[in-house]
Amino acid sequence: EILETLWAPFNKISPTARSMTLSHRQEVLDDHMRDSNWKKLLLDIYQLTMDKAPTMAEIRLRLTENEVSTNGRTGAVAWLIEGINIENAQDGLRSSIRQLPEDPTASQRTLMEEKRQKLLSRINKFHETALVMTNGMELEGGAGLHQDDPELCLEEADGSNFPGIEELGEDSILDVGDDADSPAEVAELWMPSWGTSDPIMNDVVMPLRQEELELRKGQANDCLEKLRQALGDRSVVFREKLHSNKSIHH
């Protein structure tokens, strides 16, 4: 770093530096130089010059523009997006239920039940549209509904905060009775990626699988971008705390 580029910011501390001793002034100037270099490093983190992976919105736009020319049918991309959003809503509802106390109030139980009903309505509508997208074919699951890996979910690893359906007690908020359908937060959602392989269905499902795969890539890219931003934020906080602690000790 050449000194000339730091003259403008150094002007802000020059009045204070005038009255310092030579050694003290050198330490202050060095600290400001290191601070400037650190901020430029963080700027590189936030504004990378390299090409970024396409976002989910960009991929959605590309697929939507090519939708008619590819399969002659519109609405498939929007339907797949709704399925992904429903999966995210299921994750959010499960998280909300985990955060409830062991003995939730009537208001809390009512709120969760209302969220369940709204989510279940979205799931039913999604499956109705699935019949249209697959020309009325009977849909069957393959490997079954995707479940989060307990080892990657700290709150679920010990099973204490989010027991399985088979472990629920009679008064549990997740208990919906023996004759009822699965709760909305754990209901199976038919997506092209986990349907069974069938020669007849492949002609219809395969294009949907390819579109879903592209959208999943965008979903992963968005998550990685958020992670990168979060790491940058944490690095700023860490440095500010570290710098503050050093200043106190000095």
Side-chain angles (χ1 to χ4, degrees), residues 58-213:
E58 294 171 343
I59 294 177
R60 178 181 183 180
L61 175 61
R62 173 171 56 81
L63 292 176
T64 303
E65 292 175 341
N66 299 332
E67 197 169 19
V68 178
S69 60
T70 301
N71 53 28
R73 176 186 296 161
T74 60
V77 176
W79 171 69
L80 291 170
I81 288 290
E82 173 63 7
I84 294 175
N85 290 338
I86 290 176
E87 290 178 343
N88 293 335
Q90 287 180 310
D91 292 339
L93 182 54
R94 289 198 299 268
S95 177
S96 297
I97 293 175
R98 285 198 298 268
Q99 296 174 9
L100 289 175
E102 294 183 359
D103 186 19
T105 64
S107 298
Q108 291 173 326
R109 295 175 67 93
T110 300
L111 179 61
M112 290 300 105
E113 188 59 32
E114 290 176 348
K115 289 183 177 181
R116 271 179 172 164
Q117 293 177 3
K118 291 179 181 179
L119 182 55
L120 188 59
S121 177
R122 292 177 62 186
I123 294 174
N124 291 336
K125 185 177 180 180
F126 176 82
H127 285 155
E128 291 175 0
T129 308
L131 294 176
V132 178
M133 294 299 165
T134 58
N135 298 329
M137 293 183 177
E138 184 177 354
L139 305 177
E140 295 181 358
L145 178 67
H146 171 73
Q147 297 291 344
D148 296 333
D149 187 347
E151 294 183 358
L152 302 179
C153 303
L154 298 180
E155 294 182 350
E156 298 179 13
D158 57 2
S160 59
N161 294 324
F162 187 47
I165 297 298
E166 67 279 356
E167 301 174 359
L168 295 174
E170 295 181 357
D171 297 331
S172 173
I173 193 172
L174 289 178
D175 185 18
V176 294
D178 296 334
D179 298 330
D181 295 331
S182 298
E185 65 273 13
V186 294
E188 293 187 354
L189 187 70
W190 189 89
M191 293 292 286
S193 58
W194 67 274
T196 56
S197 297
D198 183 272
I200 298 178
M201 292 191 64
N202 281 346
D203 293 339
V204 177
V205 177
M206 193 58 66
L208 295 174
R209 284 181 179 176
Q210 293 174 351
E211 290 180 335
E212 182 189 352
L213 176 60

